[in-house]
Amino acid sequence: MLSRLRTTWSLRPCVSVCRWAHTKERGRPLMLSPRTNKGMAFSLKERQILGIHGLLPPKVETQEIQALRFQNNLKKMTDPLEKYIYLMGIQERNERLFYRVLMEDIEELMPIVYTPTVGLACMHYGHIFRRPKGLFISILDKGHIRSILNNWSENDVSAVVVTDGERILGLGDLGVYGMGIPVGKLCLYTACAGIRPEKCLPVVIDVGTDNETLLADPLYMGLYQKRDRSQAYDDLIDEFMEAVVDKYGQDTLIQFEDFGNLNASRILRKYREKYCTFNDDIQGTAAVALAGLMAAQRVIGKPITAHRLLFLGAGEAAVGIANLIVMAMMEEGMNPDEARKRIWMYDKHGLLVKDRQEEMFPNQEPFVHDSPGNIGSFLDAVNTIKPTAIIGVSGAGRLFTHDVIKSMGALNERPIIFALSNPTTKAECTAEDAYTLTDGRCLFASGSPFDPVTLSDGRVITPGQGNNAYIFPGVALAVILSGVRHISDTVFLEAAKTLAAQLTDKDLEDGRLYPPLSKIREVSLQMAVKVVEYVYSKGMAFRYPEPIDKNGFVRATVWNTDYDSLLPETYDWPDVSFSPKTK
């Protein structure tokens, strides 16, 4: 019972008497655990008292020197996958050093630990495997998930990121190889928002895979069976959710990641009012896309209610973005039906229109309209609907053709083109095409990074990266600190507004629709503060007493990469005598 009661002390600011280090360990185990290992930064006294003297070279190094060594080695590497393997090796040996290296060069290294390289790492997971991270739960474990959670080394978990590997980025079904996604997401929980790494649990749920290549691969590490789509799947997810809150508490944050389209929407609807949960592919993507549109408003001077939007792709991400845009339009006073009429969707079968022969799903119904005429291609849809913005979430590659981009440029003085599919190879167009084919007039954002583009007139434009990492770490930190039980879509609307507000005029002049990634720690903390303020003001927070200085409260809880002293605490007793009293 006690394990289910989430106390607040673990989330309060750490004061001088608070010791997070594992001081009970001695000897070589200290050097084998990434939580306690300092490498050559163990002091001489630590080496002598803790029984590791002589197990290291005699030099005592600073963390700065250690970081410099790894940074120099990374600079020598050119292959992104090689860099990923090297970085993950640091994480497996020295956690604090890993996060220092990552945070000091976040703009350069985020594309390695996250999209696009993490997609490549997932595809080769069984070939580059070194050491397991996270929990692996298979459908054969049904009825025993609670005991598997008991095997995890940490008993106080605040955030779980879970995938079933069915739709990894735009790469499809990778089964158990999808573990790279929860691991990468939780790296950014810590690097971007300062959430303590030991409070984070990555999980992959293995119910099989429909990927024939993996099923024939002797190095594949999951179940050799087709993906289970029976009632047993739902029962397994139910058991997983119940086991997590039973062990860690009702307000444990559970983030769903890269589930297949049908399961993602269905699971979110099923659990969102029962658990503290969100789906980043649906809600995180929606918030970052909306933030980009809000930033574009500052350039164009046109309210969001004046836009017409055409989506390429009509899956969970498209519907999630569309629903949040409708909420933003409603906040500006527009009727919801009128708002939905301004949003169109185009999938592999064509426009979502009434009386279409191909199947459509319930979550798409609000965006199904009367047919505007004979539409044979996405280009036809652009020329007929005349959108002010096109948003690509198809995961199908370069479908924003040159003709589509040129048409957008002819229809709009400042066309908005968002190619949000990941990884880079799945983006609907490149930044170079978007800018050059519109003479630099378009407002462009992508899900994965593109290099700055130099135009024929010498102008250099820095593409905006609509990266979910601008959203989910800050939202997660706020939710954990405030004790939110259920995460409303209004939280993501607030997050989108907060992100857009942090964009400077200089950023906009450079062509950015999002702040530089180098500022993402500050962006995440400011977002956490705003969301904490919002959830308390709306009665969504359940952790009391409510902090008066919410900015100070959030920042005081942030984990840092400095090494802890592992020496036992020693002190004197003042004015004490150990001799018997004499008369």
Side-chain angles (χ1 to χ4, degrees):
M1 178 65 184
L2 289 176
S3 66
R4 285 179 253 174
L5 298 176
R6 176 66 56 81
T7 57
T8 60
W9 68 268
S10 64
L11 296 172
R12 286 178 180 164
C14 195
V15 295
S16 59
V17 296
C18 187
R19 301 182 63 85
W20 292 103
H22 296 253
T23 54
K24 292 184 179 180
E25 293 284 0
R26 283 180 55 83
R28 190 167 175 80
L30 281 172
M31 301 166 59
L32 296 177
S33 169
R35 293 270 155 83
T36 55
N37 182 32
K38 302 184 188 182
M40 290 176 62
F42 282 106
S43 69
L44 180 60
K45 186 176 289 187
E46 284 177 321
R47 298 180 190 199
Q48 293 171 341
I49 292 176
L50 298 173
I52 57 175
H53 193 48
L55 303 182
L56 293 163
K59 180 187 178 185
V60 176
E61 290 188 335
T62 63
Q63 194 181 69
E64 288 81 2
I65 293 296
Q66 292 178 306
L68 179 64
R69 178 181 294 112
F70 285 112
Q71 289 161 349
N72 287 342
N73 288 338
L74 279 167
K75 289 175 183 176
K76 297 173 186 176
M77 301 175 187
T78 56
D79 178 39
L81 187 58
E82 182 185 10
K83 289 184 178 182
Y84 177 89
I85 295 169
Y86 186 69
L87 276 169
M88 292 299 105
I90 304 174
Q91 187 187 32
E92 291 165 4
R93 297 192 302 275
N94 186 330
E95 191 170 68
R96 288 180 184 266
L97 181 57
F98 164 76
Y99 281 109
R100 171 163 184 158
V101 171
L102 176 58
M103 290 163 59
E104 284 191 349
D105 199 6
I106 191 75
E107 198 159 14
E108 183 72 24
L109 296 181
M110 185 184 290
I112 303 298
V113 301
Y114 190 46
T115 182
T117 308
V118 71
L120 186 63
C122 286
M123 293 175 68
H124 296 279
Y125 187 83
H127 301 254
I128 65 172
F129 183 79
R130 298 293 188 275
R131 181 185 294 183
K133 297 186 177 85
L135 281 182
F136 298 81
I137 299 171
S138 84
I139 198 161
L140 304 180
D141 297 316
K142 188 172 176 292
H144 306 282
I145 294 179
R146 183 60 161 82
S147 64
I148 292 176
L149 291 179
N150 289 339
N151 292 336
W152 186 244
S153 57
E154 301 291 341
N155 290 317
D156 187 9
V157 168
S158 299
V160 176
V161 176
V162 58
T163 185
D164 72 352
E166 185 175 3
R167 193 195 60 80
I168 298 299
L169 302 175
L171 302 172
D173 188 347
L174 296 184
V176 79
Y177 282 6
M179 176 56 95
I181 297 298
V183 169
K185 290 281 184 178
L186 289 171
C187 284
L188 299 186
Y189 268 45
T190 300
C192 299
I195 297 172
R196 302 190 66 85
E198 69 269 22
K199 302 287 186 183
C200 301
L201 173 58
V203 177
V204 66
I205 294 180
D206 184 6
V207 297
T209 177
D210 291 337
N211 187 322
E212 295 291 347
T213 301
L214 295 181
L215 292 176
D217 185 354
L219 295 181
Y220 181 59
M221 307 176 82
L223 297 177
Y224 285 99
Q225 67 174 51
K226 287 287 189 179
R227 185 169 287 276
D228 193 318
R229 301 185 185 280
S230 69
Q231 181 61 38
Y233 175 91
D234 283 8
D235 294 342
L236 185 73
I237 303 298
D238 281 344
E239 182 186 347
F240 170 74
M241 299 296 284
E242 292 167 5
V244 167
V245 299
D246 182 64
K247 181 168 178 64
Y248 302 122
Q250 185 65 43
D251 56 351
T252 305
L253 173 61
I254 304 172
Q255 175 181 330
F256 285 91
E257 195 67 39
D258 286 357
F259 281 67
N261 278 341
L262 294 181
N263 282 334
S265 300
R266 183 174 63 86
I267 287 172
L268 180 61
R269 289 194 302 271
K270 182 177 183 179
Y271 295 131
R272 65 184 307 166
E273 299 300 328
K274 298 179 182 178
Y275 299 98
C276 179
T277 186
F278 73 95
N279 184 302
D280 185 52
D281 303 303
I282 298 174
Q283 295 158 291
T285 301
V288 80
L290 177 58
L293 291 174
M294 289 177 168
Q297 286 179 221
R298 292 169 55 183
V299 178
I300 300 173
K302 179 186 293 185
I304 195 164
T305 52
H307 283 293
R308 284 185 310 281
L309 302 107
L310 174 60
F311 285 83
L312 179 59
E316 60 185 50
V319 174
I321 297 169
N323 282 328
L324 200 64
I325 290 172
V326 169
M327 289 180 63
M329 289 180 171
M330 291 171 60
E331 197 171 66
E332 295 296 316
M334 180 172 275
N335 177 284
D337 291 334
E338 289 300 316
R340 294 185 185 103
K341 289 178 182 178
R342 305 190 73 83
I343 299 173
W344 293 76
M345 294 188 182
Y346 189 101
D347 66 8
K348 61 183 178 181
H349 301 299
L351 273 180
L352 267 60
V353 293
K354 295 175 182 176
D355 301 323
R356 195 177 81 163
Q357 291 184 351
E358 292 81 9
E359 182 182 11
M360 293 180 286
F361 301 101
N363 63 331
Q364 298 171 331
E365 288 179 4
F367 306 102
V368 176
H369 308 305
D370 292 327
S371 174
N374 185 26
I375 304 294
S377 66
F378 187 71
L379 177 60
D380 289 343
V382 169
N383 289 329
T384 301
I385 295 167
K386 296 179 172 51
T388 56
I390 53 174
I391 300 177
V393 282
S394 64
R398 306 291 195 256
L399 296 181
F400 287 173
T401 64
H402 287 195
D403 288 339
V404 166
I405 297 170
K406 289 177 181 178
S407 182
M408 284 295 294
L411 291 168
N412 303 280
E413 178 62 29
R414 299 301 302 270
I416 298 172
I417 300 175
F418 286 0
L420 299 182
S421 292
N422 290 313
T424 310
T425 56
K426 300 294 183 179
E428 286 73 16
C429 68
T430 66
E432 184 175 11
D433 282 349
Y435 289 126
T436 56
L437 295 172
T438 61
D439 300 319
R441 292 182 291 113
C442 84
L443 298 165
F444 174 83
S446 59
S448 290
F450 283 100
D451 292 332
V453 175
T454 302
L455 300 178
S456 58
D457 59 7
R459 283 182 296 156
V460 178
I461 305 179
T462 304
Q465 187 186 351
N467 195 321
N468 290 16
Y470 284 115
I471 298 294
F472 68 79
V475 169
L477 178 60
V479 166
I480 291 168
L481 292 179
S482 56
V484 169
R485 299 287 176 83
H486 312 295
I487 306 173
S488 165
D489 282 336
T490 59
V491 168
F492 290 94
L493 179 58
E494 189 68 20
K497 291 189 286 188
T498 302
L499 176 56
Q502 294 188 61
L503 199 68
T504 67
D505 291 339
K506 178 63 167 59
D507 292 332
L508 291 171
E509 289 174 11
D510 292 341
R512 298 181 186 272
L513 295 180
Y514 301 95
L517 279 175
S518 58
K519 299 179 180 178
I520 197 165
R521 168 59 77 95
E522 182 59 26
V523 168
S524 298
L525 294 182
Q526 288 195 34
M527 180 170 297
V529 171
K530 291 295 184 183
V531 173
V532 166
E533 291 173 348
Y534 178 79
V535 295
Y536 273 106
S537 70
K538 299 298 181 182
M540 299 178 187
F542 286 86
R543 182 156 285 120
Y544 293 100
E546 177 181 346
I548 297 173
D549 177 10
K550 295 177 177 61
N551 181 63
F553 171 69
V554 167
R555 293 178 185 277
T557 63
V558 171
W559 183 78
N560 66 61
T561 61
D562 295 339
Y563 289 133
D564 288 315
S565 172
L566 299 184
L567 293 173
E569 186 176 9
T570 61
Y571 52 93
D572 294 324
W573 290 351
D575 302 323
V576 63
S577 172
F578 294 102
S579 300
K581 291 183 178 181
T582 58
K583 294 182 179 179

